[in-house]
Amino acid sequence: MTVTIAVAGKGGTGKTTLAGLLVRYLIRNRPGKKVLAIDADPSSNLHLVLGLPLTQTVGDIREESRTGVGPGQSRTEWLNYAVRMAVEEGDDCDLLAMGRPEGQGCYCAANHMLRSIMDGIAASYDYVVMDNEAGMEHLSRRTTRDVDHLLLVSDASLRGMAAAEAMVGLSRELEINVRNIYLVINRVIGEMPPTLRAKTETLSIPLLAVLPYDPLLVEFDGQGRPLVELPDDAPISEAVASVAQRLLA
Ligand SMILES: Nc1ncnc2c1ncn2[C@@H]1O[C@H](COP(=O)(O)OP(=O)(O)O)[C@@H](O)[C@H]1O
Ligand SMILES: [Mg+2]
């Protein structure tokens, strides 16, 4: 059974960071398990956090399928082959980038095929970690799979939390089943302010974790070093490890 974890939230809250660090945790702590990272943000950048090259995206493939399918080939077969080739195979985990979302044209048939192809690919992994763009409208267009854990990331502000709360409503409208939804507050310096702590208790979703501001992470990002290389004893690595342990217990 594949465990699917999706990360969503407002822009700049740390979604890609958290997704990357969850992948890092799985690689280091679940040896022998297959991990697929899905970059569902059109401005793909999860690969940088994972230290992988960015190759063809599913969006590129959808475009190419309009003209690239040769005579005697079925479009499904062509798409199936192309998407499988687009899975970037890293040493420790694989990556599939969604790229640009569908345009206004009628690509419905292609999208439908792509979703089931991606679901077929995902099913062969033990863990799928999906990094989403800000907002959630696209989550259900990307997958027909159930999401086991949806993590809504917020910064340490009342506005951030209000945005997360609004997303809970949106997520209930998705055409996919989301088993658990949790709040994660990121980039907290010192203790959480009491007003924020009190606010979390009024929300409809449980607070899974408070992740610390970690200067080492800033240093890595500043140098363009993949976050998968962060040491185990970095505060953010330890915090994400306890998130993962609670999720996967
Ligand atoms: N816990 C943290 N401590 C310090 N900096 C962080 C932390 N989480 C994220 N950042 C920084 O915040 C910025 C935005 O993070 P990112 O993961 O790209 O957000 P998103 O994917 O939600 O847009 C990045 O520069 C990242 O280095
Ligand atoms: Mg991001």
Side-chain angles (χ1 to χ4, degrees), residues 10-17 186-187 212-214 217-218 221 236:
K10 206 156 70 84
T13 48
K15 298 180 291 297
T16 303
T17 302
N186 183 31
R187 231 188 279 139
Y213 173 88
D214 191 334
L217 197 158
V218 177
D221 270 341
I236 194 72

Side-chain angles (χ1 to χ4, degrees), residues 20-98:
L21 292 174
L22 284 169
V23 170
R24 177 192 170 284
Y25 174 87
L26 292 169
I27 290 170
R28 297 207 183 183
N29 296 281
R30 301 288 157 114
K33 298 288 184 186
K34 287 183 72 190
V35 182
L36 176 67
I38 297 184
D39 189 346
D41 184 343
S43 51
S44 321
N45 58 63
L46 184 62
H47 64 287
L48 297 173
V49 165
L50 300 175
L52 291 171
L54 179 64
T55 47
Q56 223 185 9
T57 69
V58 173
D60 297 335
I61 292 167
R62 184 176 43 237
E63 281 307 308
E64 216 181 304
S65 75
R66 301 170 74 189
T67 51
V69 184
Q73 257 181 322
S74 87
R75 197 175 187 196
T76 314
E77 272 165 15
W78 188 92
L79 286 171
N80 192 27
Y81 178 75
V83 176
R84 282 172 197 278
M85 292 303 290
V87 175
E88 178 64 36
E89 293 182 10
D91 291 340
D92 306 304
C93 76
D94 294 350
L95 171 70
L96 183 60
M98 305 301 308

Side-chain angles (χ1 to χ4, degrees), residues 157-171:
S157 75
L158 285 174
R159 279 194 298 135
M161 231 111 70
E165 176 79 324
M167 277 184 196
V168 178
L170 286 177
S171 71

Side-chain angles (χ1 to χ4, degrees), residues 79-243:
L79 286 171
N80 192 27
Y81 178 75
V83 176
R84 282 172 197 278
M85 292 303 290
V87 175
E88 178 64 36
E89 293 182 10
D91 291 340
D92 306 304
C93 76
D94 294 350
L95 171 70
L96 183 60
M98 305 301 308
R100 280 175 303 153
E102 55 275 27
Q104 293 299 338
C106 187
Y107 304 151
C108 313
N111 278 329
H112 189 76
M113 289 175 209
L114 284 169
R115 284 212 302 190
S116 66
I117 291 166
M118 287 185 295
D119 288 345
I121 292 173
S124 67
Y125 288 84
D126 297 291
Y127 298 103
V128 173
V129 178
M130 196 191 297
D131 177 28
N132 291 282
E133 64 200 305
M136 284 214 300
E137 318 75 68
H138 300 290
L139 191 57
S140 60
R141 289 203 240 155
R142 311 265 185 226
T143 180
T144 56
R145 301 184 66 77
D146 294 349
V147 170
D148 295 286
H149 307 292
L150 173 63
L151 309 186
L152 296 180
V153 188
S154 169
D155 51 20
S157 75
L158 285 174
R159 279 194 298 135
M161 231 111 70
E165 176 79 324
M167 277 184 196
V168 178
L170 286 177
S171 71
R172 308 259 189 238
E173 292 165 16
L174 296 179
E175 286 166 27
I176 47 172
N177 289 322
V178 178
R179 205 145 60 82
N180 301 310
I181 310 179
Y182 298 104
L183 177 67
V184 174
I185 302 180
N186 183 31
R187 231 188 279 139
V188 175
I189 302 173
E191 287 293 305
M192 262 242 293
T195 40
L196 284 187
R197 180 68 69 182
K199 175 73 181 165
T200 58
E201 277 152 28
T202 69
L203 299 180
S204 57
I205 46 169
L207 176 63
L208 178 70
V210 175
L211 305 178
Y213 173 88
D214 191 334
L216 187 58
L217 197 158
V218 177
E219 196 181 310
F220 266 61
D221 270 341
Q223 296 169 353
R225 272 184 80 179
L227 299 183
V228 286
E229 291 173 10
L230 275 169
D232 278 337
D233 61 0
I236 194 72
S237 307
E238 288 180 345
V240 171
S242 80
V243 169

